[in-house]
Amino acid sequence: QVRFVESGGGLVVPGGSLRLSCATSGIITSVFNSNAMAWHRQVPGKQRELVASITVRGTTNYVDSVKGRFTVSRDNARKRIFLQMNDLKPEDTAVYYCNHPNYPHTWGQGTQVTVSS
């Protein structure tokens, strides 16, 4: 069974930093390394938003609102991805999820990020 387990969220003041981690299980390495991985976030009452993605070779893409502040990375051997979030803003408050496009209907519990003074 494929699982995504996100961790690293928390409560931070504006301008603070967090590093999110996503561990995967049930995905064989060749499948994990066949596609990009992505971070999404969701605020209650709104649609889930793609925040950042990273290809197997390390090419990254970000939604405009986080460019220059967030950095996505991946560890192909350990089948994990990470999201370094700096200069956090209140509008970054959301539940953050990771996902592999081969499993579009599989989502973890997410990790809550709250940015508030």
Side-chain angles (χ1 to χ4, degrees):
Q1 181 180 1
V2 173
R3 292 186 63 204
F4 301 104
V5 180
E6 301 90 352
S7 61
L11 172 63
V12 295
V13 297
S17 298
L18 284 172
R19 186 174 188 255
L20 306 184
S21 297
C22 166
T24 68
S25 63
I27 304 177
I28 61 175
T29 301
S30 60
V31 173
F32 181 87
N33 291 332
S34 69
N35 214 325
M37 284 284 295
W39 283 99
H40 303 252
R41 64 186 179 188
Q42 188 168 26
V43 176
K46 294 190 176 181
Q47 285 193 333
R48 194 168 288 159
E49 173 188 39
L50 175 62
V51 176
S53 64
I54 182 168
T55 68
V56 175
R57 295 185 178 183
T59 301
T60 57
N61 279 289
Y62 302 92
V63 68
D64 285 346
S65 61
V66 309
K67 284 181 180 177
R69 301 188 296 120
F70 290 12
T71 303
V72 59
S73 60
R74 65 189 286 163
D75 183 335
N76 291 332
R78 297 173 63 200
K79 294 179 286 186
R80 293 176 179 245
I81 66 167
F82 308 93
L83 187 67
Q84 178 66 43
M85 305 187 297
N86 298 328
D87 190 24
L88 282 160
K89 305 177 185 298
E91 52 264 40
D92 296 318
T93 295
V95 179
Y96 285 70
Y97 304 87
C98 61
N99 184 257
H100 189 289
N102 285 37
Y103 308 96
H105 303 297
T106 300
W107 296 91
Q109 294 295 312
T111 186
Q112 175 71 48
V113 172
T114 303
V115 185
S116 175
S117 56

